[in-house]
């Protein structure tokens, strides 16, 4: 980490209300857990799928395009690595579906 990052972390720990910081951490962990479970469920659904009957391939391509645009937007706005990695994995998952 750079010294600026360390200074920012120190400032966050010193100036933020401990209850708010704790709630934020808990919500972040729960969000990550639910996201992992959703990815797991999505992968198991597509592994069990034998045919593409009833599924629009155009919508799958559009989802990939949409996910890439969102990922590029997040990169441009210097979003946290946690959000970027989640979105990046989502793109890989969408491409795997096709």
């Amino acid at each position: 980490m750079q010294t600026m990052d360390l200074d920012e972390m120190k400032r966050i720990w010193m100036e933020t209300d401990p209850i708010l910081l704790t709630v934020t951490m808990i919500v972040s962990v729960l969000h990550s857990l639910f996201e992992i479970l959703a990815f797991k469920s999505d992968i198991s659904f597509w592994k069990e799928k034998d045919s593409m009957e009833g599924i629009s391939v155009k919508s799958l391509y559009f989802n990939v395009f949409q996910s890439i645009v969102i990922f590029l937007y997040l990169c441009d706005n210097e979003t946290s690595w946690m959000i970027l990695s989640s979105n990046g994995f989502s793109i890989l998952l969408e491409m795997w579906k096709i």
Side-chain angles (χ1 to χ4, degrees):
M1 292 184 119
Q2 298 173 349
T3 57
M4 190 171 115
D5 293 337
L6 289 175
D7 291 340
E8 184 68 20
M9 289 298 290
K10 287 178 188 175
R11 187 187 65 76
I12 289 171
W13 283 102
M14 299 302 282
E15 294 179 6
T16 306
D17 181 30
I19 294 173
L20 178 65
L21 199 57
T22 304
V23 169
T24 303
M25 287 180 185
I26 291 170
V27 168
S28 296
V29 168
L30 286 175
H31 182 270
S32 297
L33 174 69
F34 291 142
E35 193 167 23
I36 289 169
L37 292 173
F39 283 142
K40 181 182 173 190
S41 175
D42 201 18
I43 290 170
S44 67
F45 170 79
W46 283 93
K47 276 186 174 181
E48 293 174 8
K49 194 90 172 133
D50 292 334
S51 70
M52 295 293 280
E53 185 178 335
I55 298 174
S56 170
V57 177
K58 288 181 185 179
S59 69
L60 291 176
Y61 281 115
F62 183 74
N63 284 343
V64 170
F65 172 74
Q66 183 179 3
S67 296
I68 290 172
V69 169
I70 291 171
F71 182 78
L72 293 175
Y73 176 79
L74 292 173
C75 286
D76 189 45
N77 287 328
E78 298 177 3
T79 306
S80 73
W81 64 269
M82 188 172 160
I83 304 297
L84 286 175
S85 62
S86 169
N87 199 307
F89 186 75
S90 176
I91 291 171
L92 293 175
L93 187 60
E94 292 291 333
M95 288 180 172
W96 174 72
K97 290 176 186 179
I98 296 173

